[in-house]
Amino acid sequence: MAKKISEFRTELMSIAILWVLWFHTQMEFDNDLLLLLKNLGYGGVDIFFLVSGLGLYKSLKKMKMW
C-alpha cells in the first residue's frame, strides 16, 4: 500500500492543494455533494501533511537513520 501511495505522491499533493484553494473561493453550488466537499476543504491539508510525512519517512529510511 505504501508503495502505491508513494508512486502517486505528487498527484495526491496536487489534488490536496487544489482542494484547499477551492475551499477558499467564493463559489456557491446548488449540488449538496459539491457543497459538502467544498466545506470539508480542510481535509486537503490533512492529506497534504500525510503524504508529505510519508515522503519524509521514506527519505529518512533510505538514510538508515532508523
Side-chain angles (χ1 to χ4, degrees):
M1 171 101 175
K3 181 171 175 60
K4 290 181 184 178
I5 289 175
S6 65
E7 187 177 329
F8 297 107
R9 187 173 73 228
T10 306
E11 290 84 357
L12 285 172
M13 290 174 85
S14 301
I15 291 169
I17 290 169
L18 290 174
W19 193 6
V20 171
L21 288 173
W22 183 34
F23 175 72
H24 289 287
T25 63
Q26 300 297 322
M27 299 164 82
E28 295 294 329
F29 298 99
D30 292 333
N31 188 331
D32 290 338
L33 179 62
L34 288 176
L35 185 60
L36 177 66
L37 286 174
K38 181 184 183 294
N39 290 335
L40 293 175
Y42 50 83
V45 176
D46 296 337
I47 292 169
F48 187 86
F49 282 149
L50 174 72
V51 175
S52 295
L54 288 173
L56 288 172
Y57 171 74
K58 285 188 72 169
S59 177
L60 288 173
K61 196 170 181 182
K62 283 183 184 177
M63 294 173 53
K64 298 183 182 180
M65 294 183 76
W66 292 341

